[in-house]
């Protein structure tokens, strides 16, 4: 026989119906997390102690297997893994040596970009030990998960006075040897159309030694010089990294260029270079990047040197070098300095036995929101009327102070920036301010133009702004004020938006 509910029973039901206190739940979850972390740390410590205690234990690697690599060639993996097998070694491993070599191999597989990180490593003792040698035989298993082989991206870009729509197709691991095929197509307000294909493959299963071949067809409206340039061509290059971490590229370019679509008010300099030209060149670049972050560095340095020997018959040589240094101060404040310079020098003679001087589509351009801030796009250097016609010698530098925003924190990729930058861009001229007409005058012109860089103040601008670094690009919104403006050059007072991966 049931009895009526008492006041005490009703109180129990009311407490059961009440929602738990969020603060209590948070404390309980925190306690669970701390217990799990303590167990994990204890197991890791125990594992480390076991490895340390047996670090000198002689062992042999009898087999290595990569799991879940269904689309990767066996021969490609064997070239990487076979050198680790004890059968291919002159002496036995110690356990610590075996673990170190296996870890190096897993890192090498990661650098091909075809597997998700990290690649897990499992060790299993072989049941049939080697009785004669007394070695412990190990079976190694690398558990890998392949990335999606085909990746398609579409989108729009807005920035640097241009809007565009693009499509990209990336095909990874094309033939099972970490090859990649990259197809790009874009259309925009300045780059009318651009189509590019590039095929990249590692050589001898080495992620740091690669070969690339590609082709491009594009049409770009160059409003700063009253013309449009159509470009068709191809390239091939080798890329490798030295043991000290220096990156090198060596390759060949072959391009057919057309300067066309001239505006009615195009200058005589632009009209003189209109029409077809062929660029055939070999090049080499060296890069040493020690920055802690490629887009928002706080310490380290970046240095690059580019050398190109170009010409169809007569030759021209281009030198371009630059560096960037970053130093971290207190509370996330960093100071970044950068310097770039370049020289374009004629080496051969044209059909009239005169030095083959540079064309408008070969020369350096300077100025803009990702270059020398506070000036219009290509606003520095020689102008013919309203057209920026570029120069053969330039130098530019900058100093940027980056400060975390209040209440945002130094861990966020958002910074307040104050900068001071400037530069000069000059045509190749003799000491008499004339164009060189003989090989002897070319040497005189190079020396004279380099000396001219030091005469007078460069064009200078200063400003403040906001910097935001995404994983793929850096955004800057700056208010700039030109301080020194040379005759004929175009400054830009006010807001400038810069989007890119390389800033001065």
């Amino acid at each position: 026989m049931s009895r009526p509910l008492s006041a005490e029973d009703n109180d129990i039901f009311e407490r059961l119906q009440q929602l738990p206190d969020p603060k209590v739940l948070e404390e309980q979850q925190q306690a669970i997390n701390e217990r799990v972390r303590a167990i994990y740390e204890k197991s890791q410590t125990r594992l480390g102690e076991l490895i340390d205690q047996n670090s000198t234990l002689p062992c042999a690697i009898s087999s290595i297997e990569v799991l879940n690599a269904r689309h990767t060639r066996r021969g490609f993996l064997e070239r990487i893994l076979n050198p680790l097998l004890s059968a291919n070694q002159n002496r036995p491993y110690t356990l610590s040596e075996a673990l170190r070599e296996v870890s190096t191999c897993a890192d090498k597989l990661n650098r091909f970009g075809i597997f998700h990180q990290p690649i897990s490593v499992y060790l299993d003792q072989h049941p049939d030990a080697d009785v004669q040698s007394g070695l412990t035989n190990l079976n190694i298993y690398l558990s890998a998960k392949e990335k999606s082989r085909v990746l398609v991206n579409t989108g729009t870009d807005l920035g640097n006075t241009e809007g565009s729509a693009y499509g990209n197709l990336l095909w990874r691991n094309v033939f099972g040897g970490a090859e990649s095929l990259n197809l790009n197509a874009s259309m925009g307000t300045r780059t009318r159309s651009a189509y590019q294909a590039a095929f990249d493959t590692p050589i001898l299963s080495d992620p740091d030694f690669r070969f690339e071949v590609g082709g491009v067809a594009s049409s770009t409206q160059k409003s700063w010089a009253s013309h449009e340039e159509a470009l068709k061509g191809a390239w091939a290059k080798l890329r490798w990294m030295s043991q000290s971490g220096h990156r090198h590229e060596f390759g060949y370019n072959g391009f057919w260029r057309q300067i066309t679509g001239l505006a009615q008010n195009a200058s005589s300099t632009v009209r003189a270079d209109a029409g077809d030209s062929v660029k055939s060149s070999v090049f080499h670049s060296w890069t040493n990047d020690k920055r802690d972050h490629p887009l928002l560095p706080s310490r380290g340095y970046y240095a690059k040197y580019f050398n190109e020997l170009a010409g169809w018959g007569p030759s021209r040589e281009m030198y371009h070098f630059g560096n960037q240094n970053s130093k971290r101060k207190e509370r996330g404040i960093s100071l970044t300095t950068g310097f770039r310079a370049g020289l374009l020098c004629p080496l051969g003679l044209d059909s009239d036995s005169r030095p083959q001087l540079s064309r408008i589509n070969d020369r350096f351009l300077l100025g803009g929101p990702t270059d020398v801030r506070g000036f219009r796009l290509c606003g520095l250097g020689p102008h013919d009327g309203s057209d920026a016609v570029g120069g053969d010698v330039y130098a530019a530098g900058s100093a940027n102070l980056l400060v975390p925003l209040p209440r945002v924190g130094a861990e966020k990729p958002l910074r307040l920036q104050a900068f001071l930058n400037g530069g000069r861009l000059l045509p190749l001229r003799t000491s008499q301010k004339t164009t060189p007409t003989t090989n002897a005058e070319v040497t005189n012109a190079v020396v004279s133009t380099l000396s001219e860089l030091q005469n007078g103040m460069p064009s200078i601008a200063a400003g403040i702004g906001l910097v935001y670094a995404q994983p793929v690009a850096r955004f800057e919104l700056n208010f700039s004020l030109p301080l020194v403006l040379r005759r004929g050059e175009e400054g830009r007072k006010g807001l400038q938006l810069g989007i890119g991966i390389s800033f001065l």
Side-chain angles (χ1 to χ4, degrees), residues 160 291 294-295 340 370 470-475 499-503:
N160 296 348
R291 297 172 298 178
L295 297 176
R340 295 178 186 172
T370 63
Q470 280 192 328
V472 295
R474 171 167 160 165
F475 294 77
I499 303 174
I501 59 175
S502 178
F503 286 76

Side-chain angles (χ1 to χ4, degrees), residues 85-379:
L85 296 176
S86 293
N88 300 320
Q89 298 291 323
N90 297 325
R91 63 177 183 84
Y93 288 110
T94 63
L95 180 60
S96 61
E97 289 175 341
L99 293 175
R100 183 173 63 250
E101 293 298 324
V102 171
S103 177
T104 300
C105 181
D107 178 69
K108 190 174 183 179
L109 289 175
N110 274 324
R111 297 206 307 275
F112 285 108
I114 59 176
F115 300 113
H116 288 283
Q117 295 187 16
I119 294 178
S120 301
V121 180
Y122 299 95
L123 282 73
D124 186 23
Q125 184 174 350
H126 198 282
D128 299 326
D130 193 333
V131 178
Q132 294 182 351
S133 63
L135 298 178
T136 301
N137 285 339
L138 299 177
N139 294 331
I140 308 297
Y141 299 92
L142 302 177
S143 179
K145 182 180 179 182
E146 292 181 330
K147 292 182 178 180
S148 175
R149 297 185 70 195
V150 178
L151 181 65
V152 179
N153 286 325
T154 59
T156 58
D157 285 329
L158 180 64
N160 296 348
T161 70
E162 180 179 16
S164 63
Y166 66 88
N168 171 260
L169 184 145
L170 174 62
W171 185 5
R172 295 190 186 98
N173 212 13
V174 180
F175 302 116
E179 308 89 354
S180 66
L181 177 65
N182 203 324
L183 304 177
N184 288 283
S186 65
M187 293 184 293
T189 55
R190 193 171 75 197
T191 302
R192 301 291 183 84
S193 62
Y195 305 95
Q196 178 175 303
F199 178 78
D200 178 272
T201 180
I203 298 176
L204 302 177
S205 299
D206 187 347
D208 298 324
F209 188 27
R210 308 183 73 94
F211 173 74
E212 180 182 311
V213 61
V216 64
S218 66
S219 177
T220 305
Q221 181 68 38
K222 299 191 174 182
S223 56
W224 60 85
S226 303
H227 71 272
E228 184 175 338
E229 182 182 35
L231 177 72
K232 294 181 176 68
W235 69 88
K237 60 184 176 182
L238 288 170
R239 302 198 307 269
W240 70 94
M241 184 168 65
S242 66
Q243 293 183 350
S244 57
H246 298 182
R247 297 186 179 275
H248 296 264
E249 285 191 0
F250 178 80
Y252 169 80
N253 288 325
F255 296 116
W256 171 40
R257 294 98 52 95
Q258 283 183 306
I259 292 180
T260 183
L262 271 63
Q264 291 183 352
N265 60 342
S267 64
S268 59
T269 302
V270 174
R271 294 183 183 277
D273 285 341
D276 298 346
S277 65
V278 174
K279 178 181 178 181
S280 176
S281 68
V282 292
F283 65 89
H284 171 258
S285 71
W286 165 86
T287 305
N288 187 19
D289 190 353
K290 299 298 184 182
R291 297 172 298 178
D292 59 348
H293 193 285
L295 297 176
L296 200 63
S298 60
R299 61 164 64 95
Y301 65 90
Y302 172 89
K304 181 174 182 178
Y305 172 79
F306 179 83
N307 180 26
E308 184 177 27
L309 181 64
W312 184 264
S315 299
R316 292 184 296 274
E317 190 161 15
M318 178 184 294
Y319 301 94
H320 189 117
F321 63 90
N323 66 62
Q324 186 181 67
N325 295 280
S326 297
K327 180 183 292 186
R328 173 175 288 180
K329 297 187 176 182
E330 296 181 357
R331 299 180 181 178
I333 300 173
S334 61
L335 176 65
T336 301
T337 58
F339 178 76
R340 295 178 186 172
L343 168 65
L344 183 59
C345 177
L347 297 181
L349 303 177
D350 60 17
S351 57
D352 297 326
S353 297
R354 294 183 176 183
Q356 184 172 339
L357 301 177
S358 60
R359 298 171 58 89
I360 190 172
N361 42 6
D362 291 323
R363 298 180 195 132
F364 299 115
L365 297 167
L366 202 60
T370 63
D371 201 270
V372 182
R373 306 168 185 85
F375 297 89
R376 293 191 180 276
L377 191 66
C378 309

